[in-house]
Amino acid sequence: MKYQAGDDIIVLHSKEEGKVVEIISDKMVLIEIRGVRFPAYVDQIDFPYFHRFTQKKVVEEKKPHQKKYIDEVPKERKSQKANIKTEDGVWLSLLPKFSFDEYDDEIVELLKIYLVNKTDKSYKLNYKQELKGEAAFELSSEVLAHHDFYLHDIPFENLNDNPNLVFEFSLLQPNKKKAPFFSIELKLKAKQVFKRIEEIKEKNEPTISYSLFTSYPDKAPVEKTDLGKLASKGYKIYDAAEITKHLEPARTIIDLHIEKLADDYSKMISSEILLLQLKEFEKWFLLAVAHRQQNLIVIHGIGTGKLREEIHEMLKQKKEVKTFINQYDHRFGYGATEIIFQY
């Protein structure tokens, strides 16, 4: 390997200069150009010194001044804008890192996971990698427009457990016409990934790419009920402000541990326990909305993660939810989710 981390390089096909960031294998390196990192084969780059030398312009000998008529003056060409950025959606890029075993056979050691934002919008990202139904890695960050974002590495042997990648996006600059957030899941299956690796080796391509979305979705239209028609059909119409006076008081924190909900639960099977917990959650969620509460903390515990997952799926479907987050809290650890409402 003639390159080392920190070396100046030039990309042969685009003549862009950058630096070597990391040595991936004897055939591939990770390079950085204008703050963007991406992999490149060593035969696609070179040291920039020869190029710089050959680009030096020789001073031309001055020729006697000659008159030029208007029709002889060449038309000025319109300058092309440098670095024209095209809209191509948001992609997930898997970069295999190769090594050699004791038999000198090339093997995949790990997959480097990147998020590639090819849009003019910046996003807030909540990311989670799940193995066997449990969170193995979590990350919250921002993904800037037209930038690549490194997520983490996945050891190749972990593909045997079919890791599930969960992405939740929201706009960094909120737009009333756009969805407050939306989620995407991608399950990596070992057989399919291995097939894709063989394909990129044949095509001499550095990465495997998956399209997550082309454009950020619009806000779903809210259907308005014609109260006049309902009243004409005999339905009674009540003022919502008056109804809340007769509702049970809302809570800012609810605890869904089964011992808080039932005195005798030892004979209940797991599905019965889960159903009771979800009914209790739905009750306090509706009360929080009816009272136009700003937030609600739901204590679901850690356990197998089933209750948390069910609650999160329900929250994704509710228009009153602005966002929700499951992060460490000194009172509940990772066993609680905070819901922020929007009205």
Side-chain angles (χ1 to χ4, degrees):
M1 172 63 66
K2 67 177 182 178
Y3 299 104
Q4 295 181 354
D7 285 347
D8 292 328
I9 56 90
I10 185 169
V11 180
L12 296 177
H13 75 276
S14 64
K15 305 306 179 187
E16 295 177 297
E17 294 190 21
K19 284 185 178 294
V20 175
V21 177
E22 181 182 342
I23 306 301
I24 298 172
S25 69
D26 60 338
K27 298 179 181 178
M28 187 178 295
V29 294
L30 189 68
I31 64 176
E32 180 176 316
I33 297 177
R34 298 190 304 278
V36 179
R37 297 184 177 188
F38 55 91
Y41 284 100
V42 295
D43 59 1
Q44 297 174 340
I45 61 175
D46 199 355
F47 291 112
Y49 314 114
F50 177 76
H51 175 73
R52 291 173 184 169
F53 177 78
T54 57
Q55 291 303 302
K56 290 182 179 178
K57 295 182 179 179
V58 179
V59 178
E60 296 181 358
E61 183 181 352
K62 291 185 178 179
K63 296 181 180 180
H65 178 72
Q66 296 179 351
K67 290 184 179 180
K68 284 190 177 181
Y69 297 96
I70 293 177
D71 58 353
E72 293 179 353
V73 178
K75 293 182 179 179
E76 183 179 351
R77 293 182 179 179
K78 293 182 179 180
S79 60
Q80 294 182 347
K81 293 183 179 179
N83 303 324
I84 296 176
K85 295 174 179 177
T86 57
E87 296 295 307
D88 195 23
V90 175
W91 293 73
L92 185 70
S93 183
L94 311 185
L95 170 61
K97 185 170 183 180
F98 295 94
S99 62
F100 294 89
D101 61 15
E102 61 271 21
Y103 303 105
D104 206 30
D105 291 329
E106 192 176 48
I107 60 173
V108 179
E109 181 181 342
L110 53 83
L111 296 174
K112 301 181 79 68
I113 312 298
Y114 289 85
L115 201 63
V116 182
N117 182 7
K118 297 182 180 181
T119 74
D120 61 357
K121 296 180 177 60
S122 298
Y123 306 99
K124 292 180 181 178
L125 170 69
N126 289 322
Y127 168 74
K128 177 172 63 176
Q129 179 211 344
E130 297 176 336
L131 287 176
K132 298 180 179 178
E134 296 185 2
F137 180 85
E138 292 185 82
L139 173 71
S140 295
S141 188
E142 296 176 357
V143 183
L144 300 181
H146 295 290
H147 273 71
D148 298 349
F149 185 82
Y150 168 72
L151 292 171
H152 64 119
D153 295 343
I154 296 181
F156 194 68
E157 59 268 21
N158 284 4
L159 291 181
N160 293 324
D161 296 323
N162 295 334
N164 190 43
L165 312 183
V166 183
F167 302 86
E168 182 182 282
F169 293 93
S170 58
L171 291 173
L172 194 58
Q173 298 295 330
N175 185 333
K176 293 181 179 180
K177 295 182 179 180
K178 297 293 183 179
F181 62 87
F182 79 106
S183 300
I184 302 166
E185 294 191 20
L186 177 65
K187 180 163 287 189
L188 300 179
K189 296 183 179 180
K191 187 176 180 180
Q192 294 177 356
V193 174
F194 185 77
K195 182 179 178 181
R196 294 289 298 275
I197 290 174
E198 292 301 310
E199 290 175 355
I200 65 171
K201 287 170 68 176
E202 291 178 3
K203 297 177 182 178
N204 200 30
E205 296 176 348
T207 61
I208 303 169
S209 297
Y210 297 90
S211 175
L212 295 181
F213 64 91
T214 303
S215 58
Y216 192 86
D218 294 331
K219 187 175 183 179
V222 179
E223 295 184 4
K224 294 184 178 180
T225 304
D226 189 335
L227 299 181
K229 289 183 178 180
L230 291 177
S232 65
K233 293 181 179 180
Y235 291 96
K236 293 184 178 180
I237 309 300
Y238 298 93
D239 185 353
E242 295 296 322
I243 293 175
T244 57
K245 294 180 181 179
H246 307 287
L247 289 175
E248 184 177 350
R251 295 180 182 178
T252 56
I253 301 176
I254 59 172
D255 192 340
L256 298 181
H257 283 97
I258 188 60
E259 59 268 22
K260 301 288 186 179
L261 308 181
D263 294 329
D264 185 13
Y265 57 87
S266 58
K267 297 180 181 179
M268 297 174 65
I269 61 176
S270 57
S271 59
E272 293 175 328
I273 292 175
L274 180 62
L275 182 61
L276 178 60
Q277 290 171 317
L278 293 177
K279 284 185 176 180
E280 187 73 6
F281 162 72
E282 186 74 17
K283 167 189 171 182
W284 294 107
F285 178 90
L286 292 174
L287 279 172
V289 172
H291 285 280
R292 303 186 73 78
Q293 199 165 285
Q294 295 303 308
N295 69 316
L296 174 65
I297 295 176
V298 182
I299 303 173
H300 44 62
I302 300 176
T304 62
K306 182 63 177 176
L307 177 59
R308 179 199 65 205
E309 291 175 2
E310 291 288 341
I311 290 173
H312 287 186
E313 285 301 316
M314 293 172 68
L315 292 175
K316 292 174 185 177
Q317 308 301 320
K318 295 185 180 296
K319 65 180 185 297
E320 300 90 355
V321 176
K322 180 179 181 181
T323 186
F324 60 89
I325 186 167
N326 174 214
Q327 63 182 5
Y328 180 80
D329 186 294
H330 70 280
R331 297 169 295 175
F332 320 114
Y334 287 100
T337 293
E338 182 177 9
I339 305 167
I340 307 299
F341 294 100
Q342 61 179 5
Y343 302 105

